[in-house]
């Protein structure tokens, strides 16, 4: 995790620092190595949230767009007795989950049911080839004449990224990197995907606008394409 409590203050890891997990109270040790992103680990066991995934630089860059007070917000699940930690949660209760790895459908359903008011932002660069296949299969012309742009696409890749995320009930934004498309950083909202024909529709949504809307508690405006 990015934060632990040291002297009751939420701090980032530094070498040889001990802290306390703000969510479960366990002792935490700073992990400041060369390969993984610097993070806090529970001393005695796995992360207290069974849904937690190891963080990448991609996670951290996204979290940094939002206030520290909104990051790693925990809540208790009365149904299962588990604790869950939202990557980012606004004071109004809107959750953003940044997902690097694929997950089972049951977990996706459980997380959506738990957070209710949420969106997924998916790391489209986890597999090297996905971005290239997405680019190859994307229609160059938008399918709509006006309003926010939507494009049709044919999924040419071997991975199940589109198939898996088409099962989500909450809105899914693919992050294929800031260099993709016109130069202005964009996210791709999954409007629909048909696994049999491998055809789908995505909307284009500026990354800046998404962040701005969330920061201004205007997340109910996101996105107006569909
Ligand atoms: Zn903990």
């Amino acid at each position: 995790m990015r934060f632990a409590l040291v002297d009751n203050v939420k701090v980032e890891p530094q070498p040889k620092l001990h802290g306390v997990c703000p969510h479960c109270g366990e002792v935490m040790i700073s992990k400041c190595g060369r390969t993984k992103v610097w993070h806090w680990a529970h001393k005695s066991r796995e992360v207290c949230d069974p849904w937690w995934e190891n963080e990448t630089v991609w996670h951290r860059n996204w979290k940094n767009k939002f206030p520290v007070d909104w990051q790693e917000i925990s809540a208790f699940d009365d149904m299962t007795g588990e604790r869950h930690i939202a990557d980012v949660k606004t004071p109004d209760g809107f959750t953003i989950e940044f997902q690097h790895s694929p997950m089972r459908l049951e977990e996706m359903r459980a997380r959506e049911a738990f957070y209710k008011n949420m969106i997924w932002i998916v790391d489209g660069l986890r597999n090297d080839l996905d971005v290239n296949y997405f680019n190859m299969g994307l229609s160059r012309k938008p399918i709509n004449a006006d309003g926010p742009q939507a494009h049709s696409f044919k999924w040419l890749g071997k991975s199940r990224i589109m198939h898996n995320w088409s099962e989500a009930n909450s809105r899914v934004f693919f992050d294929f990197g800031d260099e993709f498309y016109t130069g202005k950083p964009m996210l791709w909202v999954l409007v629909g995907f048909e696994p049999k024909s491998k055809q789908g529709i995505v909307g284009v949504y500026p990354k800046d606008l998404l962040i701005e809307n969330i920061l201004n508690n205007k997340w109910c405006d996101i996105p107006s394409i569909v």
Side-chain angles (χ1 to χ4, degrees):
M1 285 187 283
R2 181 177 182 184
F3 297 107
L5 297 175
V6 178
D7 295 332
N8 249 342
V9 179
K10 219 171 155 182
V11 296
E12 296 199 58
Q14 291 294 325
K16 295 179 183 163
L17 205 58
H18 280 61
V20 170
C21 175
H23 313 289
C24 71
E26 284 275 328
V27 174
M28 296 193 100
I29 295 172
S30 59
K31 300 281 184 182
C32 305
R34 284 190 191 163
T35 43
K36 284 188 188 171
V37 68
W38 285 15
H39 64 280
W40 290 97
H42 290 74
K43 188 180 178 188
S44 57
R45 57 184 165 113
E46 295 293 302
V47 186
C48 47
D49 177 359
W51 295 340
W52 192 257
E53 70 171 341
N54 286 336
E55 286 194 296
T56 59
V57 173
W58 176 80
H59 282 99
R60 288 294 167 85
N61 287 342
W62 264 107
K63 281 186 177 179
N64 274 333
K65 311 283 185 199
F66 302 98
V68 166
D69 288 353
W70 296 13
Q71 299 178 26
E72 299 187 356
I73 304 300
S74 71
F76 204 69
D77 190 336
D78 291 334
M79 296 281 283
T80 61
E82 291 171 349
R83 182 182 307 281
H84 301 304
I85 305 163
D87 288 327
V88 168
K89 190 169 187 177
T90 73
D92 283 4
F94 181 68
T95 296
I96 307 141
E97 288 284 86
F98 303 107
Q99 193 65 25
H100 172 74
S101 310
M103 75 188 111
R104 287 177 303 118
L105 180 62
E106 302 85 73
E107 182 179 326
M108 183 193 283
R109 288 277 177 273
R111 287 167 71 171
E112 289 178 331
F114 182 72
Y115 291 122
K116 294 181 184 73
N117 197 6
M118 67 164 291
I119 54 170
W120 299 100
I121 296 183
V122 176
D123 187 358
L125 298 179
R126 181 174 187 270
N127 294 320
D128 291 350
L129 297 175
D130 282 351
V131 63
N132 298 315
Y133 283 126
F134 180 66
N135 196 4
M136 281 161 60
L138 190 68
S139 71
R140 295 298 136 185
K141 273 193 178 171
I143 54 174
N144 48 345
D146 42 40
Q149 284 186 10
H151 294 252
S152 62
F153 72 97
K154 168 100 180 162
W155 181 243
L156 304 167
K158 289 202 174 66
S159 89
R160 288 173 57 87
I161 185 171
M162 292 299 165
H163 189 154
N164 291 345
W165 286 104
S166 70
E167 313 258 21
N169 291 326
S170 302
R171 186 73 69 230
V172 177
F173 293 80
F174 290 108
D175 179 2
F176 282 113
D178 288 355
E179 289 75 35
F180 188 70
Y181 200 56
T182 52
K184 187 177 179 188
M186 293 289 179
L187 296 168
W188 302 85
V189 192
L190 190 60
V191 178
F193 181 72
E194 169 51 51
K196 272 201 185 127
S197 64
K198 298 196 168 189
Q199 309 254 17
I201 295 174
V202 279
V204 189
Y205 204 83
K207 198 171 172 180
D208 288 356
L209 183 61
L210 180 80
I211 295 163
E212 194 186 306
N213 278 343
I214 295 168
L215 288 174
N216 293 316
N217 284 324
K218 287 202 286 185
W219 40 263
C220 41
D221 295 348
I222 303 166
S224 50
I225 300 167
V226 274

